[in-house]
């Protein structure tokens, strides 16, 4: 990945995070499937059943989610994980996404997430990994604390690649962190994250 693409990738993701936190009341988070494409408009069926008309801002970024393995996660990497808190304070990972180095620090911390009721998101640096009876445990550290992430055989592990507009077609499953509502009823975003080969973004 060239330096320019890395910078564009990182800047776009940071912009999304800032937009999400600054104007949550004006944004829509999309987890859905592209139903059809009407010119510049992606008609998306959201997971709640609502139909949304999504347009993209100038110079949009297309980011593909691709499968990875637990063995790909190394100490020193920056990762994110959506999961459920356990009685012992650990977080059982539903998924773990490995950030490219250019996206280190994105969304750092531990906070509420809406993948499932009461789910949490933890974005942090991997300190080390150990095996446990239930699976592998990642010790991760972020600026305000640390967590233990329990990886099970069901945990989905993915990473990011620069994608292509032509890969987003009817049937493609997408995730948009913060699409802004427009006066005409459409929503607009600077980026689409999508799964290749039928895979859905897991967060």
């Amino acid at each position: 990945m060239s330096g320019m693409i890395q910078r564009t990738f990182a800047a776009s993701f940071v912009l999304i995070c800032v937009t999400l936190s600054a104007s949550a009341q004006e944004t829509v988070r999309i987890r859905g499937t592209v139903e059809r494409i009407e010119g510049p408009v992606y008609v998306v069926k959201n997971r709640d059943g609502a139909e949304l008309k999504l347009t993209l801002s100038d110079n949009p970024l297309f980011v593909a989610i691709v499968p990875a393995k637990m063995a790909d996660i190394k100490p020193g990497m920056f990762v994110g994980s959506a999961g459920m808190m356990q009685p012992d304070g650990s977080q059982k990972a539903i998924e773990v996404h490995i950030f490219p180095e250019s996206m280190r620090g994105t969304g750092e911390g531990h906070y509420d997430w809406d993948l499932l009721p009461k789910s949490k998101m933890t974005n942090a640096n991997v300190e080390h990994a150990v095996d446990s009876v239930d699976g592998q445990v990642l010790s991760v550290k972020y600026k305000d604390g640390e967590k233990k992430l329990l990886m099970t055989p069901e945990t989905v592990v993915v990473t990011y690649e620069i994608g292509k507009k032509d890969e987003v077609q009817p049937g493609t499953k997408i995730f948009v962190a913060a699409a802004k509502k427009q006066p005409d009823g459409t929503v607009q975003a600077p980026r689409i994250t999508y799964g290749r080969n039928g895979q859905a973004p897991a967060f």
Side-chain angles (χ1 to χ4, degrees):
M1 194 184 298
S2 71
M4 181 174 292
I5 292 175
Q6 285 183 332
R7 289 191 294 273
T8 301
F9 199 10
S12 178
F13 201 87
V14 170
L15 174 61
I16 290 169
C17 292
V18 170
T19 301
L20 183 60
S21 60
S23 55
Q25 73 280 5
E26 300 176 2
T27 64
V28 177
R29 184 172 291 160
I30 301 172
R31 294 183 181 90
T33 303
V34 176
E35 296 279 286
R36 60 189 185 276
I37 301 172
E38 300 174 347
V41 178
Y42 294 87
V43 180
V44 179
K45 187 174 183 179
N46 207 13
R47 71 172 181 175
D48 62 3
E51 183 178 275
L52 301 172
K53 293 188 175 182
L54 172 68
T55 63
L56 299 178
S57 55
D58 293 339
N59 302 312
L61 189 64
F62 293 85
V63 180
I65 290 291
V66 296
K69 304 183 296 295
M70 291 188 191
D72 296 328
I73 303 172
K74 307 294 184 186
M77 285 183 166
F78 191 80
V79 302
S81 176
M84 305 301 294
M85 297 304 296
Q86 303 300 293
D88 65 358
S90 66
Q91 178 176 313
K92 187 175 183 180
I94 298 169
E95 64 81 41
V96 173
H97 46 279
I98 304 169
F99 285 105
E101 188 59 29
S102 61
M103 294 171 66
R104 176 176 291 278
T106 300
E108 184 175 356
H110 173 75
Y111 39 86
D112 293 339
W113 195 242
D114 61 353
L115 179 62
L116 295 173
K118 298 184 179 180
S119 61
K120 298 285 186 177
M121 177 65 75
T122 302
N123 287 6
N125 192 66
V126 178
E127 297 292 300
H128 61 268
V130 298
D131 292 327
S132 74
V133 174
D134 298 316
Q136 190 177 50
V137 177
L138 298 180
S139 291
V140 300
K141 187 174 289 187
Y142 47 95
K143 58 188 175 183
D144 297 322
E146 55 188 75
K147 280 286 177 288
K148 293 188 183 299
L149 306 179
L150 175 60
M151 309 274 288
T152 73
E154 290 74 40
T155 301
V156 177
V157 183
V158 298
T159 189
Y160 299 94
E161 290 183 359
I162 293 295
K164 300 176 182 177
K165 178 181 179 181
D166 292 346
E167 290 185 325
V168 180
Q169 296 293 330
T172 301
K173 296 176 175 61
I174 68 169
F175 172 78
V176 177
K180 295 193 70 171
K181 294 181 180 179
Q182 304 297 301
D184 63 0
T186 64
V187 293
Q188 187 178 76
R191 158 181 165 154
I192 288 180
T193 299
Y194 65 94
R196 280 184 176 147
N197 302 319
Q199 183 172 355
F203 44 81

